[in-house]
């Protein structure tokens, strides 16, 4: 009689129970026989928990494997949170510098500090604005006066006198005498005829009749002559002031075309800021 291996003859309770469950499930059931409920059938086919119970070592292994599986499944949720790779989660330059070690910057000797400047401005008062408006009005009026002046005069000009001087013999008394003939001529800015004079235009027009050519400028006329003392001054000499001139009339007086709205006249010299110039010496 053949001998079987102990290993092959050893029963496996779990396998046997599973086989019985399969056979029972396939066996026909009589309609009249009592039907056990589903829970009872399943319970009858499963091995007893007492049989499946393992030792302490097996339980520890099962728990370790279960914990590993749970941890592995949870890693993506923490490591790859949605949006964590966006630029708003990146380190800023300030954070990087804060975490960096101490740094130093070398500055060469030829580096200079940038100059600091402050803008400045001048305020304009109401009086200054008013004065500017009045000056502009005066300029417009002078232009209009010059237009009417040029249209109203048809006599000889400075150029005509220089080309053919009516008084070829030059002396200061004659100069002053001719100048007094134009007393009452209105002041016109830029004027140089009996239709209207300004200060230097008046002097230029009178001296042109003696064949003396002068610039239409008080400073230029003063530079043509020689300075003399007031004690030596005679009528016909020139009184030169800053921006103005006229004929010396004797006794501290001046014959001149004063300003817009006035006429050629004689009056006292009103300032000490002047000097006397004689033409022709």
């Amino acid at each position: 009689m053949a001998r079987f291996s102990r290993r092959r003859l050893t029963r496996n309770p779990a396998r046997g129970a599973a086989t019985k469950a399969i056979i029972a499930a396939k066996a026909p059931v009589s309609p009249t026989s009592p039907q056990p409920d589903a829970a009872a059938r399943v319970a009858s086919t499963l091995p007893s928990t007492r049989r499946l119970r393992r030792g302490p070592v097996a339980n520890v292994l099962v728990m370790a494997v279960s914990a590993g599986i749970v941890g592995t499944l949870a890693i993506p949720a923490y490591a790859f949170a949605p949006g964590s790779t966006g630029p708003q989660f990146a380190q800023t330059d300030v954070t990087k510098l804060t975490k960096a070690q101490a740094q130093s910057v070398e500055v060469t000797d030829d580096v200079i500090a940038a100059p600091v400047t402050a803008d400045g401005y001048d305020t304009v008062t109401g009086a200054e604005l008013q004065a500017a408006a009045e000056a502009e009005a005066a300029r417009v009026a002078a232009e209009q006066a010059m237009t009417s002046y040029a249209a109203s005069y048809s006599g000889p000009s400075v150029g005509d006198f220089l080309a053919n001087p009516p008084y070829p013999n030059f002396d200061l008394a004659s100069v002053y005498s001719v100048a007094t003939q134009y007393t009452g001529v209105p002041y016109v800015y830029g004027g140089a005829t009996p239709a209207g004079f300004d200060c230097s235009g008046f002097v230029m027009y009178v001296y042109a009749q003696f064949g003396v050519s002068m610039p239409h400028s008080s400073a230029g006329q003063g530079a043509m002559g020689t300075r003399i003392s007031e004690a030596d001054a005679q009528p016909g000499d020139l009184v030169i002031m800053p921006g103005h001139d006229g004929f010396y009339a004797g006794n501290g007086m001046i014959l001149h075309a004063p300003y817009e709205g006035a006429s050629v006249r004689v009056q006292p010299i009103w300032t000490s800021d002047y000097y006397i110039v004689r033409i022709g010496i």
Side-chain angles (χ1 to χ4, degrees):
M1 184 173 123
R3 298 180 64 181
F4 294 96
S5 171
R6 181 185 296 268
R7 185 174 182 177
R8 295 187 61 184
L9 294 177
T10 302
R11 287 189 174 187
N12 188 333
R15 184 180 298 175
T19 302
K20 289 180 180 182
I22 293 172
I23 295 174
K26 293 183 178 181
V29 179
S30 174
T32 58
S33 61
Q35 299 293 329
D37 57 342
R41 290 201 306 269
V42 173
S44 64
T45 59
L46 294 178
S48 173
T49 56
R50 185 180 300 274
R51 290 183 173 181
L52 295 178
R53 186 172 300 168
R54 299 291 187 268
V57 176
N59 291 338
V60 172
L61 291 175
V62 171
M63 292 177 65
V65 172
S66 300
I69 294 174
V70 173
T72 303
L73 294 176
I75 286 175
Y78 292 98
F80 302 99
S84 62
T85 58
Q88 65 271 30
F89 294 99
Q91 283 187 335
T92 64
D93 293 338
V94 175
T95 303
K96 293 178 181 178
L97 290 175
T98 302
K99 293 182 179 180
Q101 295 181 355
Q103 300 177 359
S104 61
V105 177
E106 295 183 0
V107 179
T108 58
D109 295 336
D110 58 349
V111 175
I112 61 174
V116 178
T117 60
D119 294 334
Y121 62 92
D122 295 329
T123 59
V124 179
T125 64
E128 291 173 334
L129 292 175
Q130 180 65 25
E134 292 175 354
E136 178 61 17
R139 185 191 65 79
V140 172
E143 289 182 354
Q144 294 173 349
M146 279 296 296
T147 301
S148 61
Y149 151 81
S152 63
Y153 181 71
S154 59
S157 65
V158 170
D160 295 334
F161 286 144
L162 291 175
N164 188 19
Y167 307 105
N169 297 322
F170 175 82
D171 65 88
L172 291 176
S174 298
V175 169
Y176 184 75
S177 176
V178 170
T180 58
Q181 298 175 12
Y182 300 104
T183 302
V185 172
Y187 178 96
V188 174
Y189 179 79
T193 71
F197 289 124
D198 64 8
C199 62
S200 58
F202 174 41
V203 174
M204 179 176 66
Y205 189 82
V206 171
Y207 266 98
Q209 298 180 48
F210 295 89
V212 179
S213 177
M214 287 186 167
H216 197 162
S217 162
S218 59
Q221 291 171 0
M224 287 182 60
T226 302
R227 288 194 184 192
I228 62 174
S229 66
E230 187 174 357
D232 296 331
Q234 299 179 20
D237 287 329
L238 299 183
V239 179
I240 305 298
M241 304 175 183
H244 189 70
D245 68 347
F247 294 98
Y248 184 69
N251 299 320
M253 308 287 280
I254 183 174
L255 171 64
H256 67 140
Y259 48 81
E260 188 73 34
S263 301
V264 174
R265 67 190 183 192
V266 175
Q267 72 177 74
I269 298 174
W270 62 92
T271 178
S272 60
D273 189 11
Y274 71 94
Y275 56 92
I276 305 297
V277 168
R278 179 167 293 173
I279 302 297
I281 60 173

